[in-house]
Amino acid sequence: MDLVPALHEPLQQPLKSVLGPATAKVMAEHLGLRTVGDLLHHYPRRYEERGQLTHLADLPMDEHVTVVAQVADARLHTFASARAPRGKGQRLEVTITDGSGRLQLVFFGNGVHKPHKELLPGTRAMFAGKVSVFNRRLQLAHPAYELLRGDPEESVETWAGALIPIYPATAKLESWKIGKALQTVLPTAQEAVDPLPESLRRGRGLVPLPEALLKIHRPHTKADIEDARARLKWDEAFVLQVALARRRHADAQLPAVPRTPTPDGLLTAFDARLPFTLTEGQQRVSREIFDDLATDHPMHRLLQGEVGSGKTMVALRAMLAVVDAGGQAAMLAPTEVLAQQHHRSIVEMMGELAEGGMLGGADQATKVVLLTGSMGAAARRQALLDLTTGEAGIVIGTHALIEDKVQFHDLGLVVVDEQHRFGVEQRDALRGKGKQPPHLLVMTATPIPRTVAMTVFGDLETSVLDQLPAGRSPIASHVVPAADKPHFLSRAWERVREEVGNGHQAYVVCPRIGDEEDDPKKAGKKKPSGAPGSPEDAAEKRPPLAVLDVADQLSKGPLQGLRVEVLHGRMQPDDKDAVMRRFAAGETDVLVATTVIEVGVNVPNATVMVIMDADRFGVSQLHQLRGRVGRGSAPGLCLLVSEMPEASPARQRLNAVAATLDGFELSRIDLEQRREGDVLGQAQSGARTSLRMLAVIEDEEIIAEAREEAVAVVAADPELTHLPALRTALDALLDEEREQYLEKG
């Protein structure tokens, strides 16, 4: 967080003589560091002690690394090559060691002279380069290096114990060059204005900000690093929570029309029709929602529910309550397939209550309309008319609902399904269609750990549905190691045939459609993470399996004679709908599909799912997909097919998915395995800093405490009039107009 004007100075101008335009340019382009403040908040990733050298044995393949090690030996070889036919080619091979492992460095041609003079046995240095494999040995080709000479005055002990910061670097700018640039700007850290209120800082025993910045970049002891980290984590958590608390506070000031259902209205009639009783969880969450709807400021609620926990039922009852109260409700779905499906299932659940204005419709009935981009002109005109007149109480659609042409008679509630696919701008555009801000219910089937919910969805109150409705069956999940044990895959197809033989249906999911032009660049885009020639490498390099190819192979091979159909995102909407209808009606045995079926597809008779190349999907996505089976009374089976070797991280991820059906547990695993930034997506739009020091899973306590402190601060002083430094930090975190749009991941 760039806190004061001195820290806002661009790196390129005042420091030309120090950083040089080339360094400043690389910092801006490759690391997003443009001001003195940005650079001060570019924290070391870790620290090396000169006496405890990096474990060379643990170096990751294909990654840019910085290591501190000692030269064991250096040999200059001459060889003949096309460029140097007389045997005058030169290659310098230097072996470095850290006591635990050895690593080969290679320099060629004219590049050998300087290292040959400098990298003598016994020399210690920092080396930076990309790890590759040659002749089955790890090596760095032409690494950059910086000799660690140590001050002649320094005793061996101090030298060995000194902490060297290792910065997140790029191939174009090594860690030690960033360190040198930081030396230059470090004196300005004294001018950093502290965003934490003094009472809070003292109460928590945190060091002042200038001291924290000095200690993070130039620690003398490990305790210095701990002090600095504790302080900088608090900054990130607190400033972000203040931004969210201010947003909640501002939303609470907005006026909204209270919506209370009329006794003996549409909701009562609907509840009377239900062939089952709601779970305790559904009743509890419904009460929370109805309480919010009855207030005169807009509800902002996040409804988290495991796949199949009955979120749609809860949302529908909220929509019916609003229609009862004279308003309209809109449900926003991320895809046309899902919008059509929600429309179909809601109309089915409501029966004659969805036939408002029609012959045979019930007295309390309303109209439920669908609005998507691909509708015919006449149907679209009619839907728009029904919304404007108020004839339609409920509309279900894709983001076509946000278009300017769409006018509502009296929009009272917006329900957003699968929040992570919609930006806040889209949410707000739809909310802007009400005469006063409508109430907002956001639903997600991706379980979100509590801290992430507090960080990413911090402006929403949260309700969790954690019970499955009665009659839902357990799902057994197994990993099918196709490369190690091909007969397991044959057995998987036999299981599919058995399920179909018992009158059930199956999904086969593939990562790719298969009608793309064969572009070798696209096909093998993932970086290989194993050594060349390893099974892991082969599995990663092969293009992901495609729906069209797999469907063809299955129809001619292991599933011959079964009714196999395909479904993917590039099909025409009518064709997609027809395929889904046939599958739902039981006219298709096996549906080979992409992840278009990930969200909301409901076919209770489908009992088995085979996910091909399962290692190409994320943990949460696999969990979502698996939730499509076991939706009826027969138990579900999910088979995760992968060619990755047993010891690979990809297989461990699949084993974790197979081992638990608890989505919250899986979302923690997912977060631990990926950097938070990926999970949060653009979690804080406008926050160039994003989260640098705070780890969302590990720092749960700090986030929870920061939230409490932030709520108290904002309640006492919503405009932060008495806390100008905090205000400045907020402005740096969020450009003024962006505070409205804290982008949700």
Side-chain angles (χ1 to χ4, degrees):
M1 282 155 273
D2 330 333
L3 301 182
V4 295
L7 303 196
H8 279 309
E9 288 186 51
L11 288 170
Q12 230 169 328
Q13 285 144 18
L15 302 171
K16 241 181 198 161
S17 55
V18 187
L19 289 197
T23 307
K25 190 168 180 244
V26 173
M27 282 195 173
E29 286 175 9
H30 293 270
L31 295 168
L33 307 176
R34 291 181 174 80
T35 66
V36 173
D38 289 345
L39 183 52
L40 281 175
H41 289 281
H42 187 70
Y43 306 131
R45 176 180 283 144
R46 56 192 168 83
Y47 300 84
E48 288 296 358
E49 276 185 75
R50 286 173 173 151
Q52 297 176 344
L53 303 176
T54 324
H55 288 295
L56 293 179
D58 305 335
L59 289 180
M61 275 297 301
D62 268 341
E63 280 199 25
H64 197 82
V65 298
T66 302
V67 295
V68 177
Q70 186 166 347
V71 176
D73 68 53
R75 293 181 186 173
L76 190 61
H77 301 274
T78 52
F79 60 91
S81 70
R83 281 189 176 173
R86 297 206 186 109
K88 295 227 174 125
Q90 289 192 307
R91 180 174 79 244
L92 175 66
E93 289 178 4
V94 178
T95 307
I96 58 172
T97 178
D98 61 356
S100 73
R102 294 168 92 79
L103 179 65
Q104 187 98 27
L105 314 178
V106 192
F107 301 88
F108 291 102
N110 293 334
V112 304
H113 304 307
K114 187 166 175 268
H116 189 217
K117 281 205 295 262
E118 294 183 334
L119 298 179
L120 304 171
T123 310
R124 285 193 163 122
M126 288 165 88
F127 302 92
K130 195 172 179 187
V131 182
S132 57
V133 166
F134 182 72
N135 278 347
R136 302 203 154 191
R137 287 164 68 194
L138 291 181
Q139 71 166 29
L140 296 182
H142 281 285
Y145 62 88
E146 174 85 342
L147 301 179
L148 298 175
R149 296 195 170 87
D151 190 322
E153 313 288 288
E154 266 181 328
S155 71
V156 177
E157 287 75 26
T158 6
W159 189 86
L163 294 160
I164 305 168
I166 304 289
Y167 290 93
T170 74
K172 292 204 164 34
L173 195 66
E174 293 85 18
S175 167
W176 55 85
K177 287 190 182 159
I178 297 171
K180 281 179 177 167
L182 265 153
Q183 285 284 37
T184 313
V185 300
L186 209 48
T188 52
Q190 294 302 339
E191 299 174 46
V193 177
D194 206 320
L196 292 191
E198 186 63 12
S199 56
L200 187 159
R201 188 181 71 69
R202 287 180 185 284
R204 301 252 165 209
L206 299 167
V207 300
L209 182 59
E211 187 183 327
L213 290 170
L214 288 171
K215 284 183 167 174
I216 201 80
H217 293 297
R218 288 290 164 270
H220 293 296
T221 62
K222 289 184 177 163
D224 283 352
I225 300 171
E226 288 315 304
D227 285 352
R229 281 193 169 145
R231 165 58 216 249
L232 295 166
K233 281 181 177 187
W234 252 94
D235 272 17
E236 284 180 14
F238 179 70
V239 175
L240 180 58
Q241 290 302 333
V242 167
L244 293 165
R246 290 190 72 213
R247 181 164 175 150
R248 286 195 302 275
H249 184 270
D251 283 343
Q253 310 310 307
L254 293 172
V257 180
R259 311 278 179 175
T260 38
T262 47
D264 303 326
L266 185 56
L267 181 62
T268 313
F270 175 75
D271 283 349
R273 281 179 53 92
L274 285 180
F276 51 82
T277 50
L278 298 174
T279 64
E280 275 172 42
Q282 284 174 315
Q283 290 173 13
R284 172 178 46 79
V285 171
S286 287
R287 279 195 299 276
E288 290 171 353
I289 291 170
F290 289 157
D291 288 350
D292 282 357
L293 289 174
T295 61
D296 55 9
H297 57 83
M299 161 171 84
H300 291 101
R301 192 165 280 281
L302 172 68
L303 172 54
Q304 289 192 62
E306 275 288 12
V307 174
S309 57
K311 291 184 300 297
T312 313
M313 173 60 70
V314 169
L316 176 56
R317 292 184 73 243
M319 294 197 286
L320 295 175
V322 168
V323 175
D324 255 354
Q328 289 169 294
M331 185 181 220
L332 206 54
T335 63
E336 291 211 355
V337 167
L338 196 54
Q340 288 163 345
Q341 184 160 328
H342 275 318
H343 181 253
R344 221 174 13 249
S345 64
I346 282 174
V347 168
E348 275 166 23
M349 283 194 273
M350 287 175 65
E352 72 269 13
L353 295 174
E355 295 170 0
M358 290 186 245
L359 222 57
D363 294 345
Q364 305 96 326
T366 187
K367 219 174 188 182
V368 180
V369 299
L370 176 69
L371 190 64
T372 62
S374 65
M375 282 169 75
R380 190 177 170 78
R381 249 197 322 276
Q382 185 58 54
L384 289 171
L385 185 66
D386 288 342
L387 286 180
T388 315
T389 59
E391 186 89 5
I394 294 178
V395 57
I396 293 149
T398 53
H399 46 228
L401 280 176
I402 301 169
E403 288 173 16
D404 292 346
K405 292 191 206 72
V406 182
Q407 297 296 321
F408 289 85
H409 176 65
D410 178 14
L411 180 61
L413 170 67
V414 174
V415 178
V416 178
D417 191 19
E418 282 313 314
Q419 156 63 21
H420 60 282
R421 311 221 179 165
F422 284 103
V424 175
E425 288 89 343
Q426 290 169 303
R427 262 179 19 193
D428 285 357
L430 189 56
R431 275 171 34 182
K433 292 188 176 292
K435 291 180 178 127
Q436 283 192 322
H439 298 281
L440 175 71
L441 180 65
V442 166
M443 302 197 295
T444 177
T446 308
I448 303 163
R450 174 170 160 262
T451 44
V452 180
M454 283 194 293
T455 310
V456 186
F457 298 102
D459 60 332
L460 302 173
E461 299 300 325
T462 306
S463 296
V464 179
L465 271 178
D466 43 15
Q467 271 173 300
L468 288 186
R472 288 298 297 266
S473 305
I475 305 170
S477 307
H478 303 285
V479 177
V480 177
D484 314 351
K485 300 178 178 164
H487 59 285
F488 275 39
L489 185 57
S490 315
R491 176 72 188 114
W493 301 127
E494 281 169 28
R495 283 290 289 117
V496 170
R497 293 193 82 98
E498 285 163 18
E499 288 296 315
V500 172
N502 291 335
H504 297 303
Q505 291 159 280
Y507 296 102
V508 177
V509 181
C510 306
R512 205 162 56 99
I513 297 174
D515 59 358
E516 303 89 342
E517 286 152 37
D518 290 326
D519 179 350
K521 278 188 202 149
K522 280 184 189 160
K525 240 184 176 174
K526 286 197 98 165
K527 271 192 191 168
S529 58
S534 73
E536 190 169 347
D537 194 29
E540 282 269 25
K541 277 202 166 155
R542 167 178 65 64
L545 292 170
V547 166
L548 301 176
D549 305 341
V550 169
D552 188 47
Q553 289 159 12
L554 291 177
S555 310
K556 292 176 181 164
L559 302 185
Q560 198 171 6
L562 301 187
R563 298 167 299 177
V564 177
E565 286 212 60
V566 300
L567 178 71
H568 59 75
R570 274 209 282 277
M571 289 164 65
Q572 288 302 314
D574 293 352
D575 297 343
K576 278 193 249 186
D577 208 31
V579 169
M580 270 321 299
R581 277 176 196 277
R582 286 196 291 275
F583 190 64
E587 294 162 22
T588 306
D589 299 320
V590 179
L591 187 61
V592 183
T594 54
T595 54
V596 290
I597 59 154
E598 174 186 353
V599 191
V601 171
N602 186 23
V603 179
N605 191 43
T607 53
V608 60
M609 175 178 284
V610 182
I611 303 179
M612 307 303 290
D613 277 347
D615 48 272
R616 308 273 180 144
F617 298 99
V619 170
S620 300
Q621 203 173 23
L622 291 170
H623 183 59
Q624 291 270 357
L625 285 166
R626 165 170 67 182
R628 302 296 118 222
V629 294
R631 298 177 80 86
S633 49
L637 172 66
C638 178
L639 302 173
L640 306 166
V641 179
S642 171
E643 292 185 3
M644 298 303 268
E646 196 157 354
S648 64
R651 268 286 284 283
Q652 286 158 13
R653 228 177 39 233
L654 296 181
N655 292 341
V657 174
T660 177
L661 289 172
D662 180 341
F664 285 91
E665 177 55 33
L666 287 174
S667 67
R668 283 189 82 94
I669 292 169
D670 201 12
L671 252 181
E672 282 158 11
Q673 292 195 339
R674 296 153 56 185
R675 287 193 4 262
E676 269 97 8
D678 304 339
V679 180
L680 305 184
Q682 286 297 304
Q684 299 88 306
S685 171
R688 293 177 308 285
T689 54
S690 192
L691 300 184
R692 290 177 168 173
M693 190 56 83
L694 201 64
V696 177
I697 288 284
E698 294 155 31
D699 298 322
E700 184 161 343
E701 250 172 70
I702 295 178
I703 293 170
E705 288 171 14
R707 180 174 167 128
E708 273 174 40
E709 295 274 12
V711 169
V713 164
V714 171
D717 181 5
E719 291 306 310
L720 308 179
T721 324
H722 303 297
L723 297 165
L726 176 55
R727 183 71 252 194
T728 312
L730 259 193
D731 292 342
L733 179 73
L734 315 164
D735 312 328
E736 195 55 47
E737 72 279 7
R738 290 266 178 115
E739 188 158 357
Q740 297 305 313
Y741 293 121
L742 266 164
E743 181 67 68
K744 298 298 180 279

